[in-house]
Amino acid sequence: MSRKMTSFFSFSTCLFISFFLSSALLHFNQCYAKERHPSSSSLVLSLTRRKTSLSIPKPSYNLVRKDSETLDIREPLREVRDGYLISLNIGTPPQIIQVYMDTGSDLTWVPCGSLSFDCIDCDDYKDHKLMSSFSPSFSSSSYRDFCASPSCIDIHSSDNPFDQCTIAGCSLSTLLKGTCSRPCPSFAYTYGEGIVSGTLTRDTLRVHGTSSNPNSIWEVPKFVFGCVGTTYREPIGIVGFGKGPLSLTSQLGFLQKGFSHCFLPFKFANNPNISSPLVVGDLAISSKENFQFTPMLKSPMYPNFYYIGLEAITVGNGATTQVPLTLREFDSLGNGGMLIDSGTTYTHLPNPFYSDLLTALRSSINYPRAEDIEARTGFDLCYRLPCPNNNINSLVTDDFPSVTFHFLNNVSLVLPNGNNFYAMGAPRNSTVVKCLLFQSMEDSDEGPAGIFGNFQQQNVEVVYDLEKERIGFQTTDCASIANSQGLHKT
């Protein structure tokens, strides 16, 4: 299953939400009360959807240079079973927290309190080695954000952004003047079926610059993030790469520049010796003449996320299947379009188009179906392939048809071999089972009509050119790029 659910709905019952929020906020306030709160450029990084009425802010250049280098950041992305992790260096002295990179949200948040952090309904992640947490009491530069902060207004955005701070005790005059010194109230942030509850916190963030000096570090003082004490189905933190004021790209001042990533294939998951490259800034969008670029679509409902328009999909050398208009247009309420999202594992397509795609694939594949595996995994197309001597490396070609995505502006992206079907386990009895890693969208008229997930972005360098409002693609060997950037330890 995808790590981040695709639904833009909140929970189905208000009673459950009320119970969770009241207990979660009470629990977090109790644990946070124990903590101490003392009063031309690029970056290369290694690797809840909610509406906001606030406009995109002007760049806020918080970076503090430590020498005369050009400002660029590079960090490695570590691949795990359902996404890509980036290591955040936060606090004084530094604490290292691994969180998911997510282009489909804004807020950056980390689990807070190694003993007090509580993840509800997270049995699949019990004893997860990646569940590192942040302790504000161990950082001399950490403090809770205030009601007067624009970030506090954004995290509580509603018809009246002063609601929460009024409840917290701020007078209307201090709110209008921006002088209320009361702490920003606790928040709740949703991710489809997941939800997190915490407090808005500021501390020093450190990132790696791009230069001949591999130890070059940039400091970002007063970086805003969520210090989360309780979650529902969200065991690991997230760094948001959306276009909203709380996102990492916004806080670093790169909304008028861009970023790029090159995701390694699943076979490198949990390999500590190689990482996927993530670049932020001028370096990410320069010298990309050979890329195919499709325009970013602007959703009036979700302006902070990245949408592209899908025109058609071709299976093998067969006829091109036109997709519904909803995958490249928005309705009057802002629903529709195709969201490109590093935080969703598999590509999701709407019915009946998705069913038509399955029919086209079935007619082009001659291997025997593995319906027992389909029933067990929930995937819609699984096949048994011969694998001599149970050696997966002996499977030179799998004869699956190619799948080509046709985006607006005559962009045709042939998905790399391996981005469609994937082995469900080790070979047995000289046979291996591979399943199609696409899924159908939930039957809803709200939110995006489709999602382009991270599995289909593997071995594709993806460029988010925020200056020209376009997204570029180029198939490549991401392991080679990682090696050229020193991200492969031998």
Side-chain angles (χ1 to χ4, degrees):
M1 294 297 291
S2 299
R3 174 185 65 78
K4 185 168 65 179
M5 303 303 291
T6 62
S7 171
F8 274 58
F9 293 122
S10 58
F11 292 111
S12 59
T13 63
C14 294
L15 178 62
F16 177 78
I17 294 179
S18 176
F19 171 76
F20 170 76
L21 291 182
S22 59
S23 60
L25 294 178
L26 176 61
H27 167 83
F28 188 81
N29 287 334
Q30 289 174 339
C31 77
Y32 206 94
K34 302 175 184 177
E35 321 258 75
R36 174 170 54 89
H37 311 288
S39 304
S40 117
S41 57
S42 307
L43 297 172
V44 182
L45 309 172
S46 60
L47 308 142
T48 318
R49 301 178 166 89
R50 65 188 176 83
K51 293 183 287 184
T52 174
S53 59
L54 299 183
S55 59
I56 298 174
K58 296 180 180 179
S60 55
Y61 296 96
N62 288 330
L63 288 170
V64 177
R65 305 187 187 191
K66 288 203 168 182
D67 50 37
S68 59
E69 295 172 297
T70 301
L71 185 55
D72 284 312
I73 300 176
R74 175 176 291 140
E75 301 284 349
L77 289 172
R78 179 184 174 189
E79 183 177 6
V80 290
R81 65 181 182 178
D82 52 4
Y84 295 82
L85 296 174
I86 182 172
S87 295
L88 293 182
N89 181 321
I90 304 177
T92 308
Q95 299 176 47
I96 307 300
I97 315 296
Q98 289 190 317
V99 297
Y100 284 112
M101 178 213 174
D102 187 11
T103 60
S105 64
D106 291 328
L107 177 68
T108 294
W109 68 268
V110 298
C112 280
S114 57
L115 297 179
S116 56
F117 175 73
D118 182 24
C119 184
I120 301 170
D121 198 11
C122 291
D123 291 341
D124 290 343
Y125 289 87
K126 293 297 184 184
D127 301 321
H128 204 298
K129 294 181 180 179
L130 301 174
M131 290 180 63
S132 52
S133 61
F134 177 73
S135 296
S137 60
F138 294 157
S139 174
S140 61
S141 51
S142 175
Y143 64 94
R144 185 167 169 175
D145 207 11
F146 300 103
C147 272
S149 165
S151 298
C152 183
I153 294 176
D154 183 65
I155 197 69
H156 291 294
S157 61
S158 64
D159 291 338
N160 185 346
F162 294 148
D163 282 349
Q164 296 297 321
C165 284
T166 300
I167 296 174
C170 294
S171 67
L172 182 58
S173 62
T174 59
L175 287 173
L176 293 174
K177 296 175 182 178
T179 58
C180 183
S181 60
R182 290 185 177 274
C184 181
S186 300
F187 66 84
Y189 199 86
T190 59
Y191 297 86
E193 290 190 356
I195 188 168
V196 302
S197 169
T199 59
L200 211 57
T201 302
R202 290 181 181 265
D203 208 333
T204 299
L205 173 71
R206 297 170 188 83
V207 292
H208 293 89
T210 58
S211 68
S212 57
N213 179 9
N215 297 318
S216 173
I217 299 292
W218 306 120
E219 287 191 351
V220 188
K222 301 180 181 180
F223 181 77
V224 182
F225 59 97
C227 193
V228 170
T230 307
T231 72
Y232 175 75
R233 293 185 176 179
E234 293 292 340
I236 300 174
I238 289 174
V239 56
F241 271 75
K243 293 181 286 186
L246 292 173
S247 73
L248 183 138
T249 47
S250 176
Q251 292 193 60
L252 298 186
F254 289 107
L255 282 183
Q256 303 305 317
K257 298 183 183 297
F259 61 94
S260 67
H261 57 68
C262 198
F263 291 152
L264 291 168
F266 269 20
K267 68 179 182 180
F268 292 103
N270 299 314
N271 184 338
N273 296 319
I274 188 168
S275 302
S276 300
L278 169 67
V279 183
V280 183
D282 289 331
L283 187 61
I285 60 177
S286 62
S287 302
K288 304 298 182 184
E289 294 80 7
N290 296 326
F291 279 63
Q292 299 183 81
F293 282 94
T294 188
M296 291 182 187
L297 304 183
K298 297 180 179 179
S299 167
M301 178 177 289
Y302 304 103
N304 297 337
F305 304 141
Y306 304 104
Y307 284 86
I308 50 181
L310 182 65
E311 291 189 298
I313 291 180
T314 302
V315 175
N317 297 320
T320 298
T321 304
Q322 299 298 317
V323 306
L325 287 175
T326 55
L327 281 168
R328 58 183 180 275
E329 295 180 357
F330 300 106
D331 64 19
S332 59
L333 298 177
N335 300 301
M338 185 169 219
L339 182 75
I340 179 168
D341 185 10
S342 68
T344 297
T345 310
Y346 312 125
T347 290
H348 289 62
L349 297 169
N351 277 314
F353 171 72
Y354 176 68
S355 297
D356 295 339
L357 176 63
L358 295 182
T359 299
L361 286 167
R362 282 194 296 265
S363 64
S364 303
I365 299 172
N366 296 319
Y367 296 115
R369 290 275 293 276
E371 295 181 351
D372 57 326
I373 304 299
E374 293 173 2
R376 186 190 315 163
T377 63
F379 292 116
D380 296 298
L381 281 184
C382 297
Y383 293 93
R384 286 187 166 85
L385 284 68
C387 187
N389 302 317
N390 290 331
N391 183 2
I392 193 68
N393 295 322
S394 66
L395 195 64
V396 179
T397 178
D398 51 26
D399 293 329
F400 284 124
S402 62
V403 176
T404 304
F405 278 62
H406 303 278
F407 298 108
L408 292 175
N409 200 34
N410 296 318
V411 171
S412 294
L413 176 63
V414 182
L415 297 184
N417 185 32
N419 284 24
N420 304 318
F421 288 84
Y422 191 74
M424 292 292 101
R428 296 180 59 186
N429 302 322
S430 297
T431 301
V432 65
V433 175
K434 289 192 172 185
C435 294
L436 176 70
L437 297 195
F438 285 59
Q439 293 182 329
S440 63
M441 284 292 291
E442 294 184 7
D443 188 14
S444 170
D445 294 329
E446 294 190 19
I451 299 180
F452 194 52
N454 66 50
F455 185 80
Q456 279 65 45
Q457 298 176 47
Q458 295 175 154
N459 274 337
V460 179
E461 187 172 358
V462 182
V463 175
Y464 293 74
D465 189 338
L466 304 182
E467 180 180 12
K468 296 182 179 179
E469 298 184 326
R470 59 183 187 167
I471 292 180
F473 302 97
Q474 180 171 270
T475 56
T476 187
D477 182 358
C478 291
S480 295
I481 293 182
N483 186 62
S484 67
Q485 295 186 5
L487 299 176
H488 190 186
K489 302 175 184 178
T490 57

